[in-house]
C-alpha cells in the first residue's frame, strides 16, 4: 500500500536521519523543500548528479510501499524537469535510485511512473527509437529496486 507522508515528516526525515542539512525556503504554493548544495552533499545525492547551481533541487515527498520509504528528489529548470526515487540506508546514504520522471519542452523523450500492486512501473517515450514506448516493472525491497523479469 502506498502512503503519502506529509511535509512535516519530510523535515523530520532530513533532520533526524543525522544528515545535518540546511534547507532553503520553499515556494509558498509548493510543499517541496528546496535543497541547497550543502544539503545535496550531506544527503549524498552526488550519486544522482553533481550539484549544479543552474538548476533548482527539491525534496518533493516521501512515500511508503511495503514498509520501505521512498524519497522523491526533483531537479527543476525552465525547460526540463527530472525526478528520482531514492532509497536510503540506515546511515542516511543513498542505497538505490530510479529515474522516475523526465519532461522537457521539446517533448521527444519522457519518463513517467505509476504505482502498481507492490511495484513501480516506469514508462519511457523516445520519439527516435523503435519501439517508441517501453515499460519496466520494479519490485521495491529493503535492499533496493529490483527489475522484474518477464
Amino acid at each position: 500500500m502506498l502512503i503519502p507522508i506529509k511535509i512535516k515528516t519530510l523535515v523530520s526525515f532530513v533532520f533526524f536521519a543525522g544528515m545535518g542539512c540546511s534547507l532553503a525556503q520553499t515556494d509558498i504554493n509548493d510543499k517541496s523543500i528546496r535543497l541547497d548544495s550543502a544539503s545535496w552533499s550531506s544527503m549524498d545525492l552526488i550519486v544522482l548528479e553533481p550539484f549544479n547551481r543552474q538548476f533548482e533541487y527539491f525534496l518533493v515527498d516521501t512515500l511508503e510501499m511495503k514498509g520501505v520509504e521512498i524519497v522523491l528528489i526533483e531537479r527543476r529548470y525552465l525547460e526540463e524537469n527530472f525526478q528520482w526515487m531514492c532509497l536510503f540506508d540506515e546511515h542516511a546514504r543513498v542505497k538505490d535510485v530510479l529515474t522516475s520522471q523526465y519532461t522537457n519542452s521539446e517533448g521527444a523523450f519522457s519518463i513517467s511512473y505509476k504505482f502498481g500492486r507492490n511495484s513501480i512501473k516506469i514508462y519511457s517515450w523516445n520519439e527516435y527509437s523503435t519501439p517508441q514506448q517501453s515499460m519496466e516493472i520494479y519490485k521495491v525491497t529493503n535492499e533496493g529496486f529490483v527489475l522484474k523479469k518477464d
Side-chain angles (χ1 to χ4, degrees):
M1 180 174 189
L2 184 68
I3 305 167
I5 299 174
K6 296 185 191 294
I7 200 71
K8 261 190 167 170
T9 305
L10 289 175
V11 173
S12 298
F13 174 81
V14 172
F15 288 109
F16 296 119
M19 294 181 212
C21 300
S22 61
L23 301 172
Q25 189 73 15
T26 83
D27 184 315
I28 194 154
N29 296 320
D30 188 355
K31 295 194 312 186
S32 302
I33 298 172
R34 186 181 306 238
L35 299 170
D36 58 16
S37 62
S39 301
W40 194 258
S41 295
S42 65
M43 291 177 71
D44 196 33
L45 296 175
I46 189 87
V47 299
L48 305 179
E49 69 180 23
F51 186 86
N52 184 334
R53 294 188 189 287
Q54 142 182 5
F55 302 124
E56 292 181 300
Y57 297 93
F58 295 87
L59 189 103
V60 177
D61 203 352
T62 58
L63 309 166
E64 187 177 318
M65 179 179 244
K66 294 179 64 177
V68 178
E69 188 171 56
I70 301 168
V71 179
L72 300 177
I73 305 289
E74 189 169 277
R75 179 187 78 193
R76 297 178 190 166
Y77 188 63
L78 182 61
E79 302 218 6
E80 73 176 359
N81 292 318
F82 212 109
Q83 188 180 84
W84 300 274
M85 290 183 184
C86 301
L87 300 180
F88 288 85
D89 66 16
E90 63 277 358
H91 304 291
R93 297 288 179 206
V94 176
K95 179 170 35 177
D96 202 3
V97 63
L98 270 181
T99 300
S100 54
Q101 230 173 5
Y102 176 79
T103 57
N104 66 25
S105 61
E106 188 179 293
F109 182 73
S110 67
I111 298 172
S112 62
Y113 68 92
K114 286 187 181 176
F115 289 100
R117 205 179 174 107
N118 301 323
S119 65
I120 300 169
K121 295 177 183 178
I122 303 291
Y123 298 92
S124 299
W125 170 266
N126 186 337
E127 184 72 30
Y128 307 110
S129 71
T130 304
Q132 291 178 323
Q133 187 170 2
S134 65
M135 178 187 67
E136 295 178 326
I137 301 174
Y138 291 86
K139 193 168 83 173
V140 180
T141 71
N142 284 324
E143 288 74 44
F145 300 107
V146 179
L147 180 62
K148 287 187 174 182
K149 308 227 189 241
D150 292 333

